[in-house]
Amino acid sequence: MKKRQTVTLKHIAEALNLSISTVSRSLKNHKDISKETIALVHAKAKELNYFPNIFAQGFRKHRTHLIGVVVPNLTHYYSSTILEAILEEAEKKGYHVIITGSKDSYDKQIELLNTMLHLGVDGILLSLTRDTYNVDKIIKYIEQVPLILFDKVSRKVPCTQVIIDDEQAAFNAVKHLIDTGRKRIAIFKETNDSFNSLKRYEGYLRALKTNNLPFDESLVYSSKYIPLEQGRKLAETVLKNPQRPDAVFCITDNCAVGAMQVFKKNNIKIPEEIAIVGFSNSLASRIVNPNLTTVDQPGSKVGKTAINYLIDEIDNPKENYMDYKTVEIKTNLIVRESSIKND
Amino acid sequence: MKKRQTVTLKHIAEALNLSISTVSRSLKNHKDISKETIALVHAKAKELNYFPNIFAQGFRKHRTHLIGVVVPNLTHYYSSTILEAILEEAEKKGYHVIITGSKDSYDKQIELLNTMLHLGVDGILLSLTRDTYNVDKIIKYIEQVPLILFDKVSRKVPCTQVIIDDEQAAFNAVKHLIDTGRKRIAIFKETNDSFNSLKRYEGYLRALKTNNLPFDESLVYSSKYIPLEQGRKLAETVLKNPQRPDAVFCITDNCAVGAMQVFKKNNIKIPEEIAIVGFSNSLASRIVNPNLTTVDQPGSKVGKTAINYLIDEIDNPKENYMDYKTVEIKTNLIVRESSIKND
DNA sequence: TAGATTACCGCAAACGTTTGCGGGTTAATT
DNA sequence: AATTAACCCGCAAACGTTTGCGGTAATCTA
């Protein structure tokens, strides 16, 4: 019981009266080996159900075909779609993925990167914790192993980064509100902006400017984090604003949902009196009533792109920082009921 | 660049003028080594930032400290909470986790189990695909590597299984409806029942029986899968029922949400005219209006329990099938607005 | 004081794979 | 016919760790 069959090169060699080295080379179609021998070995390997011992290989070649992933959280729908894509794509390319969660703790994040390194992963996919202000340690890792950032990134880290076009997405969302006649457009964002929040804010500003709408600071609502509850709180402060906005662009779906709850409870008609736009195309956005207009973030594309860049980098080590680039994945505005006057 | 520091036992040995074997033994506090030497070696190891090469170790010891996880899907909220707990608990115990997704395909599932085996994982955590009717191949794996089932399981597989108390949970949910005065309670379930669906149906039946309510077959609504859209469809057929139910127990939150949408659209008051209870305590259940009464499945507890049983089994290999057991995690009914008359 | 323990430690083999090097055929070239 | 080239294959070392076995010196027993 619990006996693992373990057929090695040696078994094949003995069965075929060949040397271990010839068998090894045959299996990788080395040119020194005749076609007949190669065919023979492949056949026998299949017959015996041979699989290379990954540890002997990794031990020998310093190549593990393991990829480490460090993310702050994996219960968010967006995170999990990214992860799913990473897994799928990795498998296609013959890699395996070790996922870990930093629980949004910087120290844990560093610890996990350390673990990854000593685990011998071929490369690392990292989504930064919220409190990654100092990136010195992260940079140390870049010098030791191919690493690319995705989703939550920082421009201070010199490596390839895969993100969505936050600025443009926000611009489009706000432009949509303007196009549908809104004049006083508020924004719900983070107080000390994360990279994403900042970019979305910039998009908001650009949309106002491009369309000659005045910037009104009283329409900028911020809170430290932006979960559902904060959306509620911000919405309540909105109610106190003497000059109430006629639209709110929320930086996340969750806070948009929270805001909607408050507005609805106060009998403010959505979208007639106030239009709402979120960001994420979360499940909730499709469930809430009225359905939420939101920005769709193609998580699977982000994941797929990230791992492909990583594998490329593993295969072709970069020589200097100049070779790194930032890849922006295009998003789509999904217009639903929360932003357009009913039929 | 991309140079990994790699300090081995040899380096420590040379620095201390000891043999490699002595160093190796010192690091595991072998009794043959004097306390002084052990202290010395530990100090030097720390100084040089030594970490054992996991591949050399795994290669030598046939122990990888890797655990493989195979799940049908990881974007579901419930799945991801389980996974997160697995990761956290594994890390505490010094294991690493390789997660893969079978995309609910039986063939892919088998393929992944194969991969896991050849990857040399110490054990496997498996949640079955919906179409796992034949478990012969799964049983083959049990003979080769410690494996335990969680969430989606099958009694036909002789191994430890970690699940929630579906039957009791359903019983409690339906009893709640009965206690609040409902007489004609419908159920939305799967046509050809999965293990979970079946158990929940049994709980439904037992609740009716225990409370002397007649069983009415016209109140049993089934469809192949139970996503949100099917909840809508089933709800529409409910509307056609001349003797409309006054409550619906939905086997998943998603289909409950779908049902609510339809009922609301038809101006049927929830919960006054019809009460709804779901199953999952999903994010949606808290967002939908009215909030959905639902069964909370403690995913983190399921994950934690599952991996702890697995690690235990890795450490103490079972000798026969009798040693396996089924662990049921208790659930909680969360009563919200969708099932109780408003204040 | 001789013999027997005990406490420490090193030698070397083993795990399965890859790969540089060298050797032996056979066929092609001069 | 002799040289060369092309082709095919095996030997053995190496990767870093663990561990059975054996050895030495110190300590103990009688």
Side-chain angles (χ1 to χ4, degrees):
Chain A
M1 201 158 182
K2 303 297 166 190
K3 269 269 180 58
R4 277 188 218 212
Q5 51 166 23
T6 167
V7 19
T8 71
L9 289 182
K10 196 174 171 189
H11 295 119
I12 302 180
E14 281 169 358
L16 257 41
N17 244 331
L18 286 171
S19 74
I20 293 179
S21 33
T22 300
V23 173
S24 172
R25 273 187 265 251
S26 298
L27 288 173
K28 357 198 89 55
N29 301 317
H30 193 285
K31 64 175 171 50
D32 269 8
I33 312 294
S34 68
K35 320 230 172 316
E36 297 79 33
T37 307
I38 289 185
L40 234 65
V41 170
H42 272 97
K44 186 56 94 176
K46 188 153 193 183
E47 178 193 332
L48 298 181
N49 193 25
Y50 166 82
F51 272 85
N53 179 315
I54 188 179
F55 286 91
Q57 271 183 333
F59 172 44
R60 182 65 227 270
K61 305 238 297 179
H62 291 279
R63 190 75 189 277
T64 61
H65 286 267
L66 249 34
I67 284 177
V69 176
V70 181
V71 290
N73 180 298
L74 52 155
T75 59
H76 291 338
Y77 180 69
Y78 180 54
S79 300
S80 58
T81 54
I82 297 181
L83 288 178
E84 199 162 64
I86 289 176
L87 293 184
E88 193 176 341
E89 196 69 12
E91 208 206 331
K92 272 188 204 159
K93 301 287 174 70
Y95 283 83
H96 301 281
V97 178
I98 297 187
I99 298 177
T100 57
S102 60
K103 309 192 94 184
D104 235 321
S105 147
Y106 175 80
D107 290 339
K108 178 135 198 173
Q109 172 176 255
I110 296 297
E111 189 189 319
L112 289 174
L113 288 174
N114 230 331
T115 305
M116 289 298 174
L117 213 60
H118 290 117
L119 242 177
V121 297
D122 287 345
I124 293 178
L125 250 30
L126 172 63
S127 181
L128 295 173
T129 61
R130 174 183 298 280
D131 57 347
T132 306
Y133 304 119
N134 186 324
V135 297
D136 295 350
K137 289 191 182 175
I138 309 280
I139 292 178
K140 286 262 174 58
Y141 287 99
I142 300 185
E143 291 164 1
Q144 300 192 59
V145 59
L147 184 155
I148 92 171
L149 291 176
F150 70 99
D151 193 18
K152 312 278 183 221
V153 306
S154 162
R155 279 286 151 76
K156 289 185 275 180
V157 183
C159 71
T160 296
Q161 322 204 346
V162 179
I163 49 178
I164 57 167
D165 61 344
D166 282 295
E167 200 269 351
Q168 183 65 40
F171 176 88
N172 293 343
V174 176
K175 180 166 187 308
H176 160 71
L177 289 170
I178 297 172
D179 288 349
T180 51
R182 309 294 172 168
K183 302 286 182 201
R184 291 184 51 74
I185 302 172
I187 181 170
F188 284 11
K189 70 175 193 66
E190 293 178 15
T191 308
N192 41 2
D193 295 279
S194 67
F195 183 82
N196 306 83
S197 175
L198 183 64
K199 286 292 165 190
R200 292 173 198 180
Y201 185 45
E202 287 174 1
Y204 165 80
L205 294 177
R206 180 162 67 91
L208 293 186
K209 198 165 182 184
T210 310
N211 292 277
N212 299 314
L213 279 187
F215 169 69
D216 180 346
E217 196 164 357
S218 80
L219 293 179
V220 177
Y221 298 85
S222 305
S223 82
K224 188 142 186 256
Y225 304 114
I226 303 279
L228 196 141
E229 294 72 27
Q230 286 302 323
R232 287 210 199 99
K233 290 208 178 140
L234 292 181
E236 271 157 16
T237 69
V238 166
L239 295 179
K240 295 181 195 139
N241 191 329
Q243 289 193 283
R244 200 179 283 168
D246 56 7
V248 180
F249 168 52
C250 298
I251 225 183
T252 70
D253 272 3
N254 275 345
C255 82
V257 170
M260 286 176 72
Q261 291 176 343
V262 169
F263 290 146
K264 274 160 66 179
K265 184 157 287 179
N266 284 274
N267 290 318
I268 298 177
K269 293 252 181 301
I270 302 171
E272 289 77 5
E273 298 178 57
I274 195 161
I276 311 272
V277 174
F279 205 113
S280 285
N281 191 21
S282 67
L283 293 176
S285 70
R286 273 160 279 178
I287 287 167
V288 81
N289 190 315
N291 286 178
L292 182 63
T293 294
T294 185
V295 174
D296 180 48
Q297 318 179 67
S300 66
K301 195 162 180 188
V302 171
K304 194 170 166 177
T305 307
I307 194 158
N308 278 331
Y309 271 94
L310 179 63
I311 291 176
D312 179 69
E313 197 166 308
I314 290 171
D315 291 336
N316 317 299
K318 299 273 193 266
E319 285 312 320
N320 61 62
Y321 292 153
M322 294 301 107
D323 295 336
Y324 298 116
K325 57 175 166 178
T326 297
V327 184
E328 284 191 359
I329 305 296
K330 291 245 173 308
T331 56
N332 264 322
L333 183 69
I334 301 188
V335 178
R336 298 208 186 93
E337 305 161 350
S338 73
S339 68
I340 46 168
K341 324 269 179 186
N342 277 1
D343 22 65
Chain B
M1 195 149 190
K2 302 297 163 185
K3 269 269 180 56
R4 279 187 213 211
Q5 51 166 28
T6 168
V7 17
T8 71
L9 290 182
K10 195 174 172 189
H11 295 119
I12 303 181
E14 281 169 359
L16 257 41
N17 243 333
L18 287 170
S19 75
I20 292 178
S21 34
T22 301
V23 173
S24 172
R25 276 188 263 253
S26 298
L27 287 173
K28 358 197 88 56
N29 302 315
H30 192 284
K31 63 177 171 49
D32 268 8
I33 312 292
S34 69
K35 322 237 169 311
E36 297 80 32
T37 308
I38 289 184
L40 232 66
V41 169
H42 273 98
K44 184 58 89 176
K46 187 153 194 182
E47 178 193 333
L48 298 180
N49 193 27
Y50 167 82
F51 272 84
N53 179 317
I54 188 181
F55 285 91
Q57 272 183 332
F59 172 45
R60 184 64 227 270
K61 305 237 296 177
H62 290 280
R63 189 76 189 274
T64 61
H65 285 266
L66 250 34
I67 283 176
V69 177
V70 181
V71 290
N73 179 298
L74 53 156
T75 59
H76 290 338
Y77 180 69
Y78 180 54
S79 301
S80 58
T81 55
I82 297 181
L83 288 178
E84 199 160 64
I86 289 176
L87 292 183
E88 193 176 341
E89 196 69 12
E91 209 207 333
K92 273 188 201 157
K93 302 285 173 69
Y95 283 84
H96 300 282
V97 178
I98 297 187
I99 298 176
T100 57
S102 59
K103 311 191 94 187
D104 235 322
S105 146
Y106 175 80
D107 291 338
K108 179 136 196 170
Q109 173 176 255
I110 296 297
E111 189 188 319
L112 289 174
L113 288 175
N114 229 335
T115 306
M116 289 298 176
L117 212 61
H118 291 116
L119 243 177
V121 297
D122 287 344
I124 295 178
L125 250 30
L126 172 63
S127 182
L128 295 173
T129 60
R130 172 183 299 279
D131 56 347
T132 306
Y133 304 118
N134 185 322
V135 297
D136 295 348
K137 289 192 182 176
I138 310 280
I139 292 179
K140 285 263 175 60
Y141 288 100
I142 300 185
E143 291 164 2
Q144 301 192 56
V145 60
L147 182 154
I148 94 172
L149 291 177
F150 69 100
D151 192 18
K152 313 279 183 220
V153 307
S154 162
R155 280 285 150 77
K156 288 185 275 178
V157 183
C159 71
T160 296
Q161 321 204 347
V162 179
I163 50 179
I164 58 168
D165 60 346
D166 282 294
E167 201 270 352
Q168 183 65 40
F171 176 88
N172 293 342
V174 175
K175 179 166 189 312
H176 159 72
L177 289 170
I178 297 172
D179 288 348
T180 51
R182 308 293 172 169
K183 303 288 181 200
R184 291 184 52 75
I185 302 172
I187 181 170
F188 283 13
K189 69 175 195 64
E190 293 178 14
T191 308
N192 40 1
D193 294 279
S194 67
F195 183 82
N196 305 83
S197 175
L198 183 64
K199 286 290 165 192
R200 292 174 198 178
Y201 184 45
E202 288 173 1
Y204 164 81
L205 293 178
R206 180 162 66 92
L208 293 186
K209 198 166 182 182
T210 309
N211 293 276
N212 298 315
L213 279 188
F215 169 69
D216 180 347
E217 196 165 357
S218 80
L219 293 178
V220 177
Y221 297 85
S222 307
S223 81
K224 187 140 187 254
Y225 306 112
I226 303 280
L228 197 140
E229 293 71 25
Q230 286 302 325
R232 287 212 197 98
K233 290 209 179 139
L234 291 180
E236 272 158 15
T237 69
V238 165
L239 294 179
K240 293 181 197 140
N241 192 330
Q243 288 192 283
R244 202 180 280 167
D246 55 7
V248 179
F249 169 51
C250 297
I251 223 181
T252 71
D253 272 4
N254 275 345
C255 81
V257 170
M260 287 176 71
Q261 292 177 343
V262 169
F263 292 145
K264 277 161 63 177
K265 185 157 287 178
N266 285 273
N267 289 319
I268 298 178
K269 293 253 180 300
I270 304 172
E272 289 78 4
E273 298 177 58
I274 196 161
I276 312 273
V277 174
F279 206 114
S280 284
N281 192 21
S282 66
L283 293 176
S285 71
R286 274 160 279 180
I287 287 167
V288 81
N289 190 314
N291 286 177
L292 182 64
T293 293
T294 186
V295 175
D296 181 46
Q297 320 177 66
S300 66
K301 196 161 180 193
V302 171
K304 195 170 166 177
T305 306
I307 193 159
N308 279 331
Y309 271 93
L310 180 63
I311 291 176
D312 179 67
E313 196 165 312
I314 290 171
D315 291 337
N316 317 299
K318 299 271 191 271
E319 285 310 321
N320 60 63
Y321 293 155
M322 295 301 106
D323 295 336
Y324 298 115
K325 57 177 167 178
T326 297
V327 185
E328 283 193 358
I329 305 296
K330 290 244 172 309
T331 55
N332 265 321
L333 183 70
I334 301 185
V335 177
R336 299 208 187 93
E337 306 161 349
S338 72
S339 66
I340 47 169
K341 325 268 179 185
N342 276 2
D343 22 62

